[in-house]
Amino acid sequence: MIKQAIIPLAGLGTRLLPLTSVFAKELLPINGKPGIEYILDECIEAGITEIIFIISEKKKMIKRYFYNDNFYKSLIKKKKDPRIIEEYKKILKYKKKIKFVYQNKPLGTGDAVLKTRKFIKNSYFLMLLPDDLIMKKNCSKEMIRLHKKYKASVMASMTVKKNNVNRWGIYSVASKLDNRNFVISNVIEKPSVKEAPSNNAVIGRYILSKDIFKILKKQKKGKGGEIHITDSIKTMIDNKSLFIGHKFSGKYLDCGSMKGYIKSTLEIAKL
Ligand code: G1P
């Protein structure tokens, strides 16, 4: 059963400067709604009951967004604006499900995952990277279904242009389960065009086993001096863990770069 999700939110968001110099990128509006709320809606609709936010002192604004009860209460008391009441109810619904842990140094996604170790209750959990929005079809829900069927770890994926492989984790396929799902034989974090075993990119949705924490504890720094979840996933695959790459059918929006963010706002408005 997958009931917990984790969301790394301690990243500095340098690809979105100057917007992120004083503002958390995950709260930036995408068609009038903070990006993080699209991610939360995906989780909740997929049956997740607890969501662990990995934030930092610098990103405390995210906690304040969900814990601003007094502000809402005093406004509602003064004038019973039905729109504000509705918005407050929505925030409360999210707040009930969210827990916070801290990663004060931006040491990478692997390090962020490790911070949640003591809070994970079941043998598998979901991780969502907030830069990656997948619209129209609930990718997490589909991945949970696959996990149940194959008792495996699952990563979302899509095919990318050959000359863009160094932006992503890239995996190679051992065998095909069906048109959308593949057994993974290897994964490399941000390879050069030459190093890349394929153009199958990992996108920010992962179903991982608790066993990854043991590997993460020993994980050495990789590309760019960061601790990458991809490197620990590679070790798990080498140790014969079953990992499935799921080519999702929803619409992918990259909200982590300026170009992508601008495009996402326009695309979502059209949906
Ligand atoms: C992270 C992962 C990478 C993955 C990507 C998906 O990279 O390390 O393997 O392909 O997310 O968005 P980041 O976006 O943090 O650079």
Side-chain angles (χ1 to χ4, degrees):
M1 235 190 348
I2 297 183
K3 290 287 167 199
Q4 287 177 298
I6 69 170
I7 308 181
L9 296 159
L12 300 175
T14 46
R15 283 183 292 201
L16 279 168
L17 279 169
L19 301 181
T20 44
S21 95
V22 293
F23 208 77
K25 66 173 172 186
E26 298 81 4
L27 295 179
L28 288 171
I30 299 171
N31 200 31
K33 172 166 156 174
I36 189 68
E37 291 191 11
Y38 291 96
I39 300 274
L40 287 171
D41 291 345
E42 179 180 331
C43 285
I44 295 167
E45 205 201 295
I48 296 294
T49 54
E50 185 178 86
I51 300 146
I52 303 174
F53 277 16
I54 306 134
I55 60 167
S56 64
E57 283 299 324
K58 275 195 186 149
K59 304 283 290 279
K60 261 204 156 156
M61 174 193 277
I62 296 175
K63 187 165 183 185
R64 286 203 300 278
Y65 180 80
F66 293 97
Y67 275 72
N68 219 352
D69 302 55
N70 289 341
F71 174 68
Y72 278 99
K73 278 183 198 158
S74 69
L75 278 179
I76 291 166
K77 218 172 168 186
K78 266 186 236 149
K79 47 176 192 147
K80 303 211 164 357
D81 183 333
R83 194 188 79 86
I84 299 177
I85 296 171
E86 271 319 297
E87 290 297 332
Y88 180 46
K89 274 194 201 153
K90 193 183 72 184
I91 295 282
L92 277 182
K93 179 190 82 178
Y94 293 138
K95 182 187 163 192
K96 272 193 218 146
K97 299 191 167 64
I98 304 172
K99 265 203 179 128
F100 293 86
V101 300
Y102 285 82
Q103 181 200 25
N104 283 324
K105 287 186 201 147
L107 294 177
T109 311
D111 179 66
V113 175
L114 194 54
K115 301 284 186 230
T116 67
R117 178 171 50 108
K118 291 190 187 129
F119 303 93
I120 299 298
K121 296 171 196 142
N122 299 331
S123 31
Y124 284 85
F125 60 96
L126 172 71
M127 169 163 76
L128 302 95
L129 302 184
D131 283 357
D132 295 337
L133 292 193
I134 301 172
M135 308 303 295
K136 295 219 285 212
K137 178 115 198 196
N138 191 319
C139 180
S140 295
K141 202 175 186 174
E142 188 58 21
M143 285 170 60
I144 291 173
R145 193 187 65 77
L146 279 166
H147 160 74
K148 276 188 193 149
K149 182 169 174 191
Y150 294 103
K151 310 272 171 286
S153 293
V154 188
M155 297 194 278
S157 94
M158 69 179 188
T159 314
V160 296
K161 290 201 184 102
K162 261 272 179 215
N163 55 349
N164 273 343
V165 284
N166 65 356
R167 157 73 185 85
W168 314 96
I170 299 291
Y171 71 87
S172 41
V173 169
S175 60
K176 182 175 164 178
L177 295 166
D178 55 57
N179 281 342
R180 292 203 169 274
N181 301 301
F182 305 87
V183 175
I184 296 177
S185 59
N186 191 17
V187 63
I188 310 178
E189 181 66 11
K190 304 194 170 78
S192 65
V193 175
K194 260 191 179 168
E195 284 172 312
S198 75
N199 58 342
N200 300 317
V202 176
I203 300 301
R205 303 286 183 278
Y206 304 72
I207 290 177
L208 297 169
S209 145
K210 243 186 178 178
D211 293 343
I212 200 145
F213 292 123
K214 275 181 261 158
I215 294 160
L216 275 172
K217 269 198 207 167
K218 293 189 207 145
Q219 186 60 55
K220 296 210 173 80
K221 287 177 183 171
K223 285 254 156 72
E226 289 187 11
I227 304 202
H228 294 289
I229 192 69
T230 313
D231 294 340
S232 293
I233 290 172
K234 180 185 163 37
T235 306
M236 293 202 61
I237 294 169
D238 289 346
N239 293 345
K240 304 278 172 275
S241 263
L242 178 58
F243 270 78
I244 295 172
H246 167 62
K247 293 226 165 124
F248 58 84
S249 58
K251 182 164 181 52
Y252 172 69
L253 300 171
D254 168 20
C255 301
S257 68
M258 188 59 90
K259 226 174 152 184
Y261 171 64
I262 294 167
K263 201 174 157 209
S264 301
T265 359
L266 300 172
E267 292 279 337
I268 285 198
K270 280 192 267 171
L271 293 182

